Amino acid sequence: MPTHTPTRDADESVREFVSRDKHGASFVVREYTPALAQDLQRFYEDFQPKRAAQGLPPDDPERIRIWLKAVLASGLHLLAFRDQELIGHCMVMPTKSPEVGEYAVFVNHAERGRGIGTELHRAMIATARAAGLRALWLTVEPQNRAAIRSYEKVGFRFVPGTILSLEPEMEIQL
């Protein structure tokens, strides 16, 4: 089972998680900084399949740039790297409720099934909790069983009354 060890700055906020995937290969999860903007742009330009997760990520470089500018302006963002290559991005975006964030995660297709998404969830849960959020919420496509299992593994549960909808909702209390 993957584990993570947080590295802390002097102010005690988590800046980086060193982790291992299901095969024992290490990767690093770190907070987004503007210096990583080009890496994130390239990640989404290369990301496949395009628009597969509720229309995201956008399908051309200019739309990706505009989307990233909008989402990076607020919320919490963590990036996963293996050998200096960006392999995942997760984010928590503000909602109408200041104590609840909307969660989304994207993992490079070649890296899926290795526990990286699950470790990103864990890292973001810790980050969101430290930021004062009380809950995370998401929607998931019902046919995406791997994502649902990964969310459930870290404590997300279906919101009652949404499980049979086109986009079931899941949440976790922090």
Side-chain angles (χ1 to χ4, degrees):
M1 178 171 171
T3 60
H4 56 81
T5 306
T7 301
R8 299 185 186 275
D9 286 347
D11 67 355
E12 289 300 306
S13 61
V14 176
R15 301 291 182 215
E16 187 172 277
F17 289 95
V18 178
S19 193
R20 295 199 178 276
D21 67 19
K22 290 179 181 178
H23 304 291
S26 66
F27 64 98
V28 175
V29 177
R30 65 177 60 113
E31 291 180 346
Y32 169 80
T33 65
L36 299 169
Q38 288 183 355
D39 291 318
L40 200 51
Q41 176 77 28
R42 255 189 321 278
F43 173 78
Y44 283 112
E45 286 177 10
D46 295 340
F47 192 89
Q48 294 297 327
K50 296 278 196 249
R51 303 180 60 81
Q54 300 159 332
L56 295 173
D59 56 0
D60 71 68
E62 182 60 16
R63 287 182 184 194
I64 292 168
R65 186 189 66 72
I66 292 167
W67 174 66
L68 285 174
K69 183 178 179 185
V71 299
L72 293 171
S74 63
L76 305 169
H77 299 270
L78 297 176
L79 306 178
F81 290 87
R82 185 186 311 281
D83 300 325
Q84 307 303 313
E85 179 186 349
L86 180 58
I87 59 171
H89 172 216
C90 65
M91 64 184 106
V92 171
M93 301 306 298
T95 65
K96 291 179 184 178
S97 172
E99 295 182 337
V100 178
E102 181 177 0
Y103 181 65
V105 62
F106 297 88
V107 175
N108 179 303
H109 188 73
E111 297 284 345
R112 293 182 192 163
R114 298 178 63 130
I116 293 164
T118 302
E119 286 302 296
L120 279 170
H121 307 332
R122 287 184 177 118
M124 185 54 85
I125 288 167
T127 301
R129 189 177 288 126
L133 292 176
R134 298 208 185 265
L136 296 179
W137 169 90
L138 60 85
T139 60
V140 63
E141 294 175 344
Q143 70 273 19
N144 194 345
R145 295 298 309 155
I148 291 169
R149 282 191 304 274
S150 180
Y151 296 137
E152 289 177 329
K153 195 178 291 185
V154 299
F156 278 92
R157 298 293 173 249
F158 283 102
V159 173
T162 70
I163 195 164
L164 297 177
S165 67
L166 292 175
E167 290 185 352
E169 299 173 23
M170 298 181 82
E171 65 185 357
I172 185 171
Q173 300 301 312
L174 308 176

